[in-house]
Amino acid sequence: MTRVYIVLAIYLLSPVLIVCAFQKWSLVRKVGTVLIAYAVGIIMALSGLVSFAPDTAEAAMFGKIQNWIMNIAVPLAIPLMLFNCDFKMWTKALPKTIYSLLGGILAMLIAVVSGYFVFRSQNIPQFPQVAAMMTGIYTGGTMNFNALGASLGVQGTTMAVVLAFEMVLTTPYILFIIAGGYKIFRKALPYADETSGTAADAEYSAKVADVEDYSGMFRKKNVIGILCGLGLSLLFLGAGAGLSLLITGGLNELIVILTITTLAIIASFSKKVRQLPKTFETGMVLILLFSVVVASLFDIQSVNMSSLMIGGFVLYIMVVALLLHLLFCRLTKVSGDLFTVSQVALLCSPPFVPPVVGAMKNKKVLISGIAIGLVGYAVGTYLGVMIACLLSAF
């Protein structure tokens, strides 16, 4: 059992060490905490550290530990990451922002559905669920990806393979944008930016620019706020479990996740809840824990032609969604910079918007990009469930 406890210690310590490295080194901030967490898990898997002989007490105990972490981490993380989001703010956005948001989501849905029919003869495992996770991650980021994977019962190996391809393809795209690729979109969409430019918008933009700021998490005031957030998350988890038992007579993860998400969005309209300190960062720590565990389930023997087809499916979605979104923005005369932040917000989530805005030297689109990302957080899980149900019918 000693090795089981060693692996458990690595699981629990990895998110803490990643956060410390994030605070200390700029390279880690550029790479991203989630990518590093998945890398840690895959290294554990490839090293054989998490390989236990089947049908042994060690294997049974280790399997229970993994399941407990995966079943609890995401449901607790979702409310914590949504509490600080000001969803009232996006309703103040200008029509162009709404056009870009709706165009981006519609483009993603068309790309996912059409890609499903293009690749469905390639024997991709749990393909409707994979399509749902891609919908979630490209409208709200890793949080929605993990939530959908957990609620739809996707195998850990499949999740690790899908996310690996997604990151391999998305990371160079974001680096391309920061390095000057946004200039191409400016030429394709040569329209003027529009912004309300209010003081409230500027204040909120500055606040969200500090997302994933782990400094001071252990100060007394912040610890009390974090504990309040965790208590509220546990309350929502209990409500989701209770509703699931009432409807199905058992624990249905899909019902639990959707209930938690809905309650968290409602709670975020309370100013007191939004002002709870460091809840987003606490949720991110739980996401990192989940990511390490899921990635450690990676099986190198599972990398076959089907998994390579997953890479093709992800690439197809990125290219088709990009072109369709560009077309929609052209028709509605959305500016190139607003299109760029919309892409980044939907593909990667709001924390990635400020660095891109900094590279473009155009703060006018910061609030719009953040607003689009927040709406993506809110709707990504629902859209993923809808896609899973739709495609499963075929």
Side-chain angles (χ1 to χ4, degrees):
M1 292 291 180
T2 303
R3 184 151 61 102
V4 173
Y5 295 124
I6 291 174
V7 173
L8 177 59
I10 295 174
Y11 280 161
L12 296 177
L13 288 174
S14 292
V16 177
L17 295 176
I18 291 171
V19 165
C20 291
F22 178 87
Q23 288 292 101
K24 188 173 182 179
W25 293 303
S26 60
L27 178 61
V28 176
R29 291 192 288 274
K30 291 178 181 178
V31 173
T33 52
V34 174
L35 180 59
I36 293 175
Y38 269 85
V40 170
I42 290 175
I43 290 172
M44 292 174 68
L46 295 177
S47 68
L49 183 63
V50 295
S51 298
F52 293 89
D55 301 322
T56 62
E58 277 189 329
M61 180 179 179
F62 184 62
K64 289 180 180 179
I65 290 173
Q66 288 179 317
N67 288 332
W68 267 98
I69 292 175
M70 290 189 294
N71 290 335
I72 293 177
V74 172
L76 287 180
I78 290 173
L80 289 168
M81 297 179 73
L82 289 173
F83 284 158
N84 289 154
C85 297
D86 189 351
F87 290 103
K88 290 185 293 185
M89 175 271 301
W90 88 276
T91 61
K92 302 174 185 177
L94 295 166
K96 299 294 184 184
T97 301
I98 298 174
Y99 294 154
S100 187
L101 165 66
L102 296 179
I105 291 177
L106 182 60
M108 188 59 60
L109 293 175
I110 293 173
V112 170
V113 173
S114 63
Y116 176 83
F117 289 103
V118 170
F119 287 88
R120 68 173 177 169
S121 63
Q122 303 301 322
N123 298 318
I124 295 177
Q126 297 183 284
F127 198 16
Q129 290 78 12
V130 169
M133 290 192 300
M134 290 309 305
T135 303
I137 199 170
Y138 280 160
T139 49
T142 310
M143 179 186 74
N144 289 339
F145 176 89
N146 290 333
L148 287 163
S151 62
L152 297 175
V154 181
Q155 295 176 356
T157 297
T158 301
M159 289 183 65
V161 170
V162 173
L163 194 68
F165 279 115
E166 188 275 331
M167 288 183 169
V168 165
L169 294 171
T170 303
T171 302
Y173 176 55
I174 300 301
L175 293 175
F176 161 75
I177 290 176
I178 293 176
Y182 60 86
K183 296 177 182 177
I184 297 176
F185 300 138
R186 283 178 175 173
K187 291 181 179 180
L189 301 168
Y191 307 111
D193 289 311
E194 299 177 20
T195 179
S196 58
T198 65
D201 285 350
E203 181 181 353
Y204 188 77
S205 297
K207 177 183 175 182
V208 180
D210 291 330
V211 161
E212 260 196 287
D213 177 11
Y214 298 96
S215 60
M217 286 189 68
F218 297 107
R219 292 174 186 166
K220 183 178 179 180
K221 180 182 178 181
N222 290 339
V223 170
I224 293 173
I226 290 171
L227 290 176
C228 290
L230 281 171
L232 202 54
S233 296
L234 284 169
L235 183 64
F236 291 168
L237 177 57
L243 183 61
S244 176
L245 289 170
L246 184 64
I247 295 175
T248 67
L251 289 177
N252 183 297
E253 291 183 346
L254 182 58
I255 294 176
V256 173
I257 293 292
L258 291 180
T259 301
I260 289 170
T261 302
T262 302
L263 290 175
I265 292 172
I266 294 172
S268 72
F269 283 86
S270 166
K271 186 176 180 180
K272 289 184 178 179
V273 173
R274 285 201 308 275
Q275 290 180 341
L276 289 174
K278 304 297 181 182
T279 57
F280 183 92
E281 288 80 2
T282 305
M284 275 300 302
V285 171
L286 290 170
I287 290 294
L288 296 178
L289 174 61
F290 178 89
S291 300
V292 172
V293 175
V294 168
S296 70
L297 299 174
F298 179 74
D299 182 3
I300 189 64
Q301 295 180 351
S302 68
V303 179
N304 48 33
M305 186 55 67
S306 294
S307 63
L308 293 178
M309 287 299 104
I310 290 177
F313 178 57
V314 175
L315 178 61
Y316 175 91
I317 292 174
M318 280 194 65
V319 173
V320 173
L322 169 66
L323 295 176
L324 287 177
H325 192 193
L326 193 63
L327 176 61
F328 292 146
C329 287
R330 179 81 183 184
L331 293 174
T332 53
K333 296 184 177 180
V334 170
S335 74
D337 284 2
L338 179 54
F339 166 81
T340 301
V341 295
S342 302
Q343 279 274 298
V344 172
L346 292 173
L347 291 178
C348 301
S349 74
F352 287 83
V353 172
V356 173
V357 169
M360 295 191 300
K361 294 180 173 58
N362 182 8
K363 292 183 179 181
K364 289 182 179 180
V365 296
L366 177 58
I367 192 67
S368 296
I370 292 169
I372 288 170
L374 293 180
V375 176
Y377 272 153
V379 305
T381 304
Y382 300 107
L383 291 174
V385 171
M386 179 190 73
I387 288 294
C389 293
L390 175 66
L391 298 183
S392 294
F394 291 96

